[in-house]
Amino acid sequence: MNVLSLLLFLVYFLFGVDGLGFTFIEYGNGNFTIYLVGNRPIIQHSARRPFVYIGSGETEFRERYGNYKIADYTGEKIGLSSYTVTNDSRGYNLTMYSCSIKVFIRLGSEEGHVLTIDIGDIGSYNRVWIQLTADTNEAIYGGGEQYSYLNLRGRQYPIWTGEQGIGRNRSTLVTYVTDLKQSGGDYYTTYFPQPTFYSTNKYYFHHSGSNYAILDFSHPNFHEIFIARQPGRLYFNTAETFPLMVSKLTNFLGRMPNLPDWIHDGAIIGVQGGSKQMMDYISYSETHGLNITGVWIQDWAGSVDDLFGHRLFWNWEWNQELYPGLDELIIGLRDRNIHVLAYVNPYLTVDGNLFKYAEQLGYFVKNSTDETYIQDFAGIMAGSIDLTNPAAYQWYKNKIIKENMIEFGMSGWMADFSEYLPVDAKLYNNQSATSYHNIWPVLWAKLNREAVEELEMLGKIVFFLRAGFSGTGKYSTLMWAGDQDVDFTYADGIASTIPAALNMGLSGVGITHFDIGGYTTFAPLLVRREELLLRSAEYAAFGPVFRTHQGNQPKENVQFYSSPEISNKFARLTHIFKTLKNYTKIVLNDTVTSGVPAYKPLFFNYPDDVRCYNVTYQFLYGDDLLIAPVILDFRKRWDVYLPADPTASWVHIWTGQSYQGPRDVTVQAPVGNPPVFYRSTSQFVDIFKTIGNL
Amino acid sequence: MNVLSLLLFLVYFLFGVDGLGFTFIEYGNGNFTIYLVGNRPIIQHSARRPFVYIGSGETEFRERYGNYKIADYTGEKIGLSSYTVTNDSRGYNLTMYSCSIKVFIRLGSEEGHVLTIDIGDIGSYNRVWIQLTADTNEAIYGGGEQYSYLNLRGRQYPIWTGEQGIGRNRSTLVTYVTDLKQSGGDYYTTYFPQPTFYSTNKYYFHHSGSNYAILDFSHPNFHEIFIARQPGRLYFNTAETFPLMVSKLTNFLGRMPNLPDWIHDGAIIGVQGGSKQMMDYISYSETHGLNITGVWIQDWAGSVDDLFGHRLFWNWEWNQELYPGLDELIIGLRDRNIHVLAYVNPYLTVDGNLFKYAEQLGYFVKNSTDETYIQDFAGIMAGSIDLTNPAAYQWYKNKIIKENMIEFGMSGWMADFSEYLPVDAKLYNNQSATSYHNIWPVLWAKLNREAVEELEMLGKIVFFLRAGFSGTGKYSTLMWAGDQDVDFTYADGIASTIPAALNMGLSGVGITHFDIGGYTTFAPLLVRREELLLRSAEYAAFGPVFRTHQGNQPKENVQFYSSPEISNKFARLTHIFKTLKNYTKIVLNDTVTSGVPAYKPLFFNYPDDVRCYNVTYQFLYGDDLLIAPVILDFRKRWDVYLPADPTASWVHIWTGQSYQGPRDVTVQAPVGNPPVFYRSTSQFVDIFKTIGNL
């Protein structure tokens, strides 16, 4: 064997047979280990400690107002301890077995991933567990839009879309109260779960199925992934850095397009009440110096006052009574570069004409007796359009999105909900509703996206989603963080938007924003004070979209128009936002081309700084801005950690003071001056200096 | 074969081989069924649905102030689907297996039980599950002292002694607040769990081990019993009626002795503050006409005022400073037929002389570094006497119980606590503290009982326990219901004492009482109002012991001495209680001889009345009294269900009005007149009539 052959042999040995991205090494005593190429072991199998388990059981989903209580019972969990293996050039064929139970597993390096695992038919069993190796100190990120923790390690994360809850923390009074109606949520509840995670051991994992799953990171020496029913393909990929890993993931799952240019020109003010009120709010805003780029009128289709309060009328067409002349006003506003945005969701109120039309045609999701499944959305009785029914899907896209909104002149809309598909629903395509529950948000995103693309309005129009799942990144044009409480709690207040954005960004969906001032109000227990509004707005100013919300009880909350003083402050913030535009466009270009999220965790750019891996409430906006929003009330100063940048120091945007990382600093942070730092060597120093003087 | 042989064959077939209490029938295709003789199938095994599972996992016990949060992880759960079987005259030898996993199971009819199951060595596995057949409508009772539900069906019950919580219901504000310190409890938390249950299918089950277990009655078609580590023997017995089943169980586990005669002569008043206060309370009570049989001074060993409030001094010897002359006062009081009762628990405060003595001798439970394990009892730092250390055990029994209390002249005491053995403690006998955790209350009961018996004071002296486990019934002289909140909640107020007594009675421990007025006070959120005190007292009057408690914040609560009006009402209630004495003695004799509990669920005497199986908040006191305490506030009337008695009508004790069951009645129930009915043909009608006129 000459040297070259030896080298080739080593190459094959080290890098796998014929370019496989993993190596499979047997130890002769029933053990084997799978190594991701150039990486650490990912799977260690022994008879005593099998890596795959099969079993049976049942999951019960108890839903109330879109909140799910999930009770899971495991009847059996059997480790497939023995195996036989063969291999070919494209991979390995494992037969895992225990007694007479056999499961075929195919290991490959498909679809650009170093390791893919396909689990064969599990027969009469209905659940699978896979164990991966883990280190005690390993950190885990991702899981979709995870609101409570940045580092997911030490806990379990059920993967099931639903309301994310109000309070989301058993220790808070708000959660206690809302839990009386099963609406409190918990650390893992989210509109946008995703069975994807990243490890500080430089790999990511992704499950392509949509079934109920649990990502269990609570064990010191292993991770366990539970998947109900037949799993989809499991994907593993590696890269040297997190940015590269996210690029690979988004290359695979899809990347978001750029936002329309106009969205960075100022605020989108969220208002309600009718044409006159809309125009008054716009006047008021302009009079008070706000840069306005849009007005979002969520009640464009009408509203109803009922027992529960003031509710939108879920009948998605222009309500001429409430918004007389809107069609013409829209044209006039567009001339003034003010864009009008609407609201829609995939449900129709039984009281509307669209419902009657759709029901006749059988367009709704059905119940067990084949009638329209009417759901109670906390007082609004509505049917859910069946996105698996091609005719229904087309009708909703063409009639409601295209005709009633886009062609009407809307420049965008909130595309709300889609998490509520009941597990006992009957779908047009006869598939199990349980397996479609997590997919629904993706179908909803797809419908909206197709409408935009088919009218060639991509890049001009934007719709924003809160719900999501694997695949959302391919269709969404913008996300928003859903409903925060109008308070400063970590679990559901301002703070929660940060891990949410970071983990969702890691999961491949990197352009998002949030309701300025939060949403969920529950007077007198939970009302928005001025400080919350301003702290929220000053943080939003350093992001891609600046949109206000009155909250669900507008009269109870402080609003940007509540006083001239507040409006002045808002005006300044909209200037800051607009001044940042060119920088923002650079950031978003990067997101669009590489998949790296607009808001990044510190460790993305500073991977050698171990502290960064547990810094939850700070982030990088692009490469040049480090932002540490003030997320607690009654603070005048704020502590910030500044990592060591090899080529620059960190400049505090308001004072110009310069700091060399790594260091902890405490900065003055009165309302209006959120802790923002820029890199001294940034090409955008002029922009930042201008902002610093505003 | 002649007729006789055939008959014998049938007898053997029906009643088992050589007198076995079960039959084992194989169906030739890997299935078998075990029938309890004369009964229904109890176990159905098939390869597809094995009856026994073995596995591995870990249980984490997180304790705070004696409240346990238990997190259990199952690594594997493998059904032992195949089997081989042999039998002999005494039973069947099963080898259950799955692949190379083999577990030997012995079926027998030992120790007076129709079926006993002994599970052989589970080797390197550490948990077992057994499945029993179940019907959808089957009701389940027992589980030890279960406070929230009478019928346990539909839920799971972890078997682990601990604090039972404050609030015990996620929906209540009190629970929310106490849960901030992990002290809220839940429906299953109890000081006295027991792995025993009864089925309306006329069998009981009992597990003789002490390991952590879960009784899972949440499935429609099967029950599942989970046992951590190596199980003890499983027992099954049948009888035609519930009373007969309880007799069999108590014959097996032990029966309580009779109470001292004096205890039925009046109230035991729970007071504190010193010798003078004690005498003043006694004077006051007598002046106001209360029948007094005892005074319970829980602070006899002293008290301390600290950050947490007014606390007992856990150093169990007469505190001469606080109770000067107590030794003589006791003698004087005994001449007046007033008995003095004390308080003790198995812990000693680090600040006391007894601690120092015991520590020098190494009498305490140790921690992982072999030092005394000091535990924080919400501010009281104390060591736990090691009941597995013979010298420590003897010292505590002889010095503290016998010398310091009995020989000192005490006629009884509250023997509190014993649920707090930490799972990481080191015991003298080197056994696992986790496996001793549930046993500890039984050792504590045994120690107290031995002291009483060795001084030949059984029947003269009484100690009352709150904690318990299998075996408590053999040692206890009296139970009490632990700490109720001073409110009307179902989960932790007055009402909870009813299912607690009924299920504990079914578990074989049938003589109990409760703190009149409840205990847990938390001003201003939770304070005792007059109505609560009086409703509690009027219900206690129809029971074996009438003892008041000031609560843990005496100044915040209404007391029997708070006003002359209240005291007069109490006086009447003590008369009622005393008038009932002869009846009570008959009831208790029955409990002592047959094991049937003093407080019985309705279905004990009316087994054919299907309604009775779900009547939770009514009970029979003996055979002649039906009591439905008013357990909610602001009520003037109360609804009662009266079952059909074959020989008598039900007479409302206050009005003399007669009712024929089965029927629902609504009776006037002003404070002072709890809904009590007697059987018209009772031999004790005169007693009841006298009471009715009080």
Side-chain angles (χ1 to χ4, degrees), chain A residues 432-443:
Chain A
S432 134
T434 309
S435 65
Y436 259 74
H437 177 84
N438 281 336
I439 295 178
W440 218 250
V442 185
L443 296 179

Side-chain angles (χ1 to χ4, degrees), chain B residues 475-670:
Chain B
Y475 300 115
S476 175
T477 56
L478 175 64
M479 306 298 296
W480 103 93
D483 301 342
Q484 279 68 62
D485 289 353
V486 294
D487 65 18
F488 288 92
T489 57
Y490 281 104
D492 206 13
I494 296 184
S496 65
T497 58
I498 304 174
L502 297 180
N503 275 320
M504 188 170 68
L506 271 150
S507 305
V509 181
I511 307 179
T512 186
H513 72 299
F514 54 86
D515 297 333
I516 287 172
Y519 171 78
T520 309
T521 311
F522 190 36
L525 182 61
L526 186 58
V527 290
R528 181 199 291 160
R529 298 186 300 106
E530 178 179 332
E531 189 183 8
L532 187 280
L533 178 65
L534 293 174
R535 284 299 193 191
S536 179
E538 71 192 28
Y539 149 36
F542 291 88
V545 177
F546 188 97
R547 177 179 58 78
T548 70
H549 201 311
Q550 293 170 307
N552 65 307
Q553 295 184 342
K555 292 194 175 61
E556 304 287 348
N557 286 338
V558 173
Q559 309 289 356
F560 75 86
Y561 49 80
S562 291
S563 75
E565 289 76 24
I566 292 176
S567 306
N568 282 342
K569 293 177 177 177
F570 253 78
R572 168 176 169 268
L573 296 176
T574 63
H575 295 324
I576 289 174
F577 175 74
K578 183 170 184 166
T579 305
L580 207 47
K581 178 173 178 176
N582 288 342
Y583 178 74
T584 290
K585 288 166 73 66
I586 296 295
V587 174
L588 294 181
N589 277 343
D590 205 15
T591 302
V592 168
T593 50
S594 74
V596 171
Y599 279 1
K600 301 184 277 197
L602 264 52
F603 61 78
F604 254 55
N605 287 21
Y606 306 100
D608 296 330
D609 184 339
V610 289
R611 260 194 70 181
C612 288
Y613 291 89
N614 283 299
V615 172
T616 304
Y617 297 104
Q618 298 180 194
F619 55 89
L620 301 169
Y621 183 35
D623 294 320
D624 293 345
L625 282 176
L626 184 152
I627 302 170
V630 175
I631 50 176
L632 297 175
D633 47 3
F634 305 124
R635 297 300 196 277
K636 297 207 177 348
R637 302 180 306 166
W638 196 250
D639 296 335
V640 184
Y641 174 69
L642 299 170
D645 188 288
T647 59
S649 58
W650 292 101
V651 181
H652 183 223
I653 203 172
W654 310 114
T655 60
Q657 189 167 351
S658 187
Y659 302 91
Q660 198 65 42
R663 68 169 284 183
D664 291 279
V665 300
T666 302
V667 289
Q668 295 302 314

Side-chain angles (χ1 to χ4, degrees), chain B residues 351-371:
Chain B
D351 296 328
N353 53 295
L354 292 169
F355 176 92
K356 293 167 183 41
Y357 177 84
E359 182 167 55
Q360 274 173 354
L361 292 162
Y363 281 173
F364 289 113
V365 164
K366 306 272 194 293
N367 60 23
S368 55
T369 58
D370 280 305
E371 295 167 322

Side-chain angles (χ1 to χ4, degrees), chain A residues 339-356:
Chain A
H339 304 78
V340 182
L341 294 90
Y343 172 102
V344 70
N345 67 43
Y347 313 115
L348 291 169
T349 173
V350 300
D351 296 329
N353 53 295
L354 293 169
F355 176 92
K356 292 166 184 42

